[in-house]
Amino acid sequence: MTTYIEIMSNLRLVHRLMTDRRQVMLEDGRTGKIVRVDTVFPDNSTTVSVWTDTKRGPGVAKVDLASILGAAPAQSA
């Protein structure tokens, strides 16, 4: 079970990545940019909307906070 401190730490990281417009890596391997973060209190459930670009085309994926692994690795040109 995750603690309140871990949830808040992850939430701050997600907000920083969104503000910096950094690419993030999802646990299923997709990458994208965070466009919205919704947290419901007192449940502490957070839904993150991520703009992804897949083979089927671009779209918004709504995922749980735990699905965000962190910043995506930088791609070389």
Side-chain angles (χ1 to χ4, degrees):
M1 180 173 182
T2 52
T3 66
Y4 175 77
I5 303 271
E6 291 171 328
I7 292 169
M8 292 308 294
S9 174
N10 291 342
L11 193 54
R12 285 188 191 107
L13 172 64
V14 165
H15 275 281
R16 188 172 346 120
L17 292 169
M18 180 177 71
T19 302
D20 293 344
R21 299 179 186 201
R22 302 248 338 250
Q23 291 273 331
V24 295
M25 176 70 73
L26 301 178
E27 66 183 357
D28 62 5
R30 293 180 292 173
T31 59
K33 290 187 180 179
I34 299 170
V35 293
R36 183 180 173 120
V37 179
D38 295 306
T39 302
V40 178
F41 292 101
D43 298 339
N44 285 334
S45 63
T46 301
T47 302
V48 182
S49 299
V50 181
W51 181 260
T52 62
D53 194 12
T54 63
K55 292 179 182 177
R56 294 187 317 226
V60 175
K62 292 189 176 189
V63 298
D64 188 64
L65 177 63
S67 298
I68 307 290
L69 298 179
Q75 296 182 4
S76 58

